[in-house]
mmCIF file of all heavy atoms in Angstrom:
data_model
loop_
_atom_site.group_PDB
_atom_site.id
_atom_site.type_symbol
_atom_site.label_atom_id
_atom_site.label_comp_id
_atom_site.label_asym_id
_atom_site.label_seq_id
_atom_site.Cartn_x
_atom_site.Cartn_y
_atom_site.Cartn_z
ATOM 1 N N GLU A 93 5.955 -83.227 74.031
ATOM 2 C CA GLU A 93 5.057 -82.545 73.146
ATOM 3 C C GLU A 93 5.571 -82.524 71.698
ATOM 4 O O GLU A 93 4.812 -82.869 70.763
ATOM 5 C CB GLU A 93 4.824 -81.081 73.650
ATOM 6 C CG GLU A 93 3.770 -80.285 73.016
ATOM 7 C CD GLU A 93 2.392 -80.993 73.172
ATOM 8 O OE1 GLU A 93 2.132 -81.622 74.177
ATOM 9 O OE2 GLU A 93 1.558 -80.807 72.196
ATOM 10 N N GLY A 98 6.454 -86.834 65.727
ATOM 11 C CA GLY A 98 7.516 -87.626 65.139
ATOM 12 C C GLY A 98 8.634 -86.747 64.501
ATOM 13 O O GLY A 98 8.697 -85.570 64.739
ATOM 14 N N ALA A 130 19.156 -95.103 46.020
ATOM 15 C CA ALA A 130 19.853 -95.567 47.254
ATOM 16 C C ALA A 130 19.950 -97.099 47.290
ATOM 17 O O ALA A 130 19.054 -97.791 46.720
ATOM 18 C CB ALA A 130 19.160 -95.022 48.490
ATOM 19 N N ARG A 155 15.290 -83.809 45.935
ATOM 20 C CA ARG A 155 15.191 -84.209 47.328
ATOM 21 C C ARG A 155 14.573 -83.126 48.165
ATOM 22 O O ARG A 155 13.620 -83.415 48.950
ATOM 23 C CB ARG A 155 16.615 -84.485 47.881
ATOM 24 C CG ARG A 155 16.617 -85.057 49.263
ATOM 25 C CD ARG A 155 18.066 -85.098 49.830
ATOM 26 N NE ARG A 155 19.009 -85.541 48.778
ATOM 27 C CZ ARG A 155 20.065 -86.261 48.964
ATOM 28 N NH1 ARG A 155 20.411 -86.629 50.152
ATOM 29 N NH2 ARG A 155 20.896 -86.514 47.984
ATOM 30 N N ASP A 195 45.999 -93.431 72.760
ATOM 31 C CA ASP A 195 46.860 -92.735 73.708
ATOM 32 C C ASP A 195 47.461 -91.508 72.998
ATOM 33 O O ASP A 195 48.646 -91.274 72.874
ATOM 34 C CB ASP A 195 48.057 -93.668 74.102
ATOM 35 C CG ASP A 195 48.749 -93.172 75.339
ATOM 36 O OD1 ASP A 195 48.168 -92.426 76.119
ATOM 37 O OD2 ASP A 195 49.956 -93.539 75.480
ATOM 38 N N PRO A 203 35.846 -89.250 56.419
ATOM 39 C CA PRO A 203 35.245 -88.890 55.141
ATOM 40 C C PRO A 203 34.415 -87.558 55.252
ATOM 41 O O PRO A 203 33.902 -87.306 56.348
ATOM 42 C CB PRO A 203 34.278 -90.038 54.825
ATOM 43 C CG PRO A 203 34.542 -91.118 55.816
ATOM 44 C CD PRO A 203 35.221 -90.462 56.991
ATOM 45 N N SER A 218 38.860 -79.770 68.977
ATOM 46 C CA SER A 218 39.388 -78.432 69.193
ATOM 47 C C SER A 218 39.447 -78.109 70.687
ATOM 48 O O SER A 218 40.280 -77.292 71.118
ATOM 49 C CB SER A 218 38.536 -77.376 68.439
ATOM 50 O OG SER A 218 37.263 -77.449 68.839
ATOM 51 N N PRO A 231 35.833 -88.133 47.761
ATOM 52 C CA PRO A 231 36.044 -88.697 46.443
ATOM 53 C C PRO A 231 36.351 -87.565 45.437
ATOM 54 O O PRO A 231 35.708 -86.519 45.489
ATOM 55 C CB PRO A 231 34.649 -89.313 46.089
ATOM 56 C CG PRO A 231 33.916 -89.365 47.405
ATOM 57 C CD PRO A 231 34.447 -88.299 48.273
ATOM 58 N N ILE A 246 31.283 -71.847 50.016
ATOM 59 C CA ILE A 246 30.656 -73.169 49.682
ATOM 60 C C ILE A 246 30.427 -73.227 48.144
ATOM 61 O O ILE A 246 29.860 -72.358 47.559
ATOM 62 C CB ILE A 246 29.278 -73.323 50.388
ATOM 63 C CG1 ILE A 246 29.486 -73.366 51.929
ATOM 64 C CG2 ILE A 246 28.589 -74.587 49.904
ATOM 65 C CD1 ILE A 246 28.171 -73.502 52.670
ATOM 66 N N PRO A 262 26.187 -81.719 49.554
ATOM 67 C CA PRO A 262 27.075 -80.564 49.719
ATOM 68 C C PRO A 262 27.137 -80.025 51.131
ATOM 69 O O PRO A 262 26.264 -80.337 51.922
ATOM 70 C CB PRO A 262 26.407 -79.506 48.817
ATOM 71 C CG PRO A 262 24.942 -79.854 48.907
ATOM 72 C CD PRO A 262 24.868 -81.323 49.058
ATOM 73 N N HIS A 274 38.334 -75.097 61.193
ATOM 74 C CA HIS A 274 39.069 -76.090 61.966
ATOM 75 C C HIS A 274 39.725 -77.205 61.169
ATOM 76 O O HIS A 274 40.623 -77.884 61.734
ATOM 77 C CB HIS A 274 38.120 -76.790 63.032
ATOM 78 C CG HIS A 274 37.640 -75.831 64.056
ATOM 79 N ND1 HIS A 274 38.412 -75.304 65.017
ATOM 80 C CD2 HIS A 274 36.399 -75.326 64.255
ATOM 81 C CE1 HIS A 274 37.769 -74.503 65.830
ATOM 82 N NE2 HIS A 274 36.519 -74.464 65.376
ATOM 83 N N MET A 297 41.437 -106.705 57.312
ATOM 84 C CA MET A 297 40.878 -106.493 58.659
ATOM 85 C C MET A 297 39.651 -107.350 58.883
ATOM 86 O O MET A 297 39.121 -107.418 59.996
ATOM 87 C CB MET A 297 40.564 -105.031 58.808
ATOM 88 C CG MET A 297 41.848 -104.171 58.845
ATOM 89 S SD MET A 297 41.504 -102.439 59.222
ATOM 90 C CE MET A 297 40.981 -102.613 60.922
ATOM 91 N N VAL A 300 33.335 -105.661 57.304
ATOM 92 C CA VAL A 300 32.510 -105.196 56.176
ATOM 93 C C VAL A 300 32.258 -103.685 56.393
ATOM 94 O O VAL A 300 31.797 -103.263 57.437
ATOM 95 C CB VAL A 300 31.146 -105.936 56.200
ATOM 96 C CG1 VAL A 300 30.149 -105.300 55.215
ATOM 97 C CG2 VAL A 300 31.355 -107.427 55.850
ATOM 98 N N ILE A 312 45.197 -91.879 52.570
ATOM 99 C CA ILE A 312 46.448 -92.107 53.296
ATOM 100 C C ILE A 312 47.479 -92.881 52.430
ATOM 101 O O ILE A 312 48.662 -92.530 52.440
ATOM 102 C CB ILE A 312 46.152 -92.864 54.626
ATOM 103 C CG1 ILE A 312 45.378 -91.974 55.603
ATOM 104 C CG2 ILE A 312 47.433 -93.380 55.272
ATOM 105 C CD1 ILE A 312 44.754 -92.710 56.782
#
Side-chain angles (χ1 to χ4, degrees):
Chain A
E93 190 58 32
R155 186 186 323 211
D195 197 25
S218 58
I246 297 179
H274 295 290
M297 296 185 66
V300 170
I312 291 168

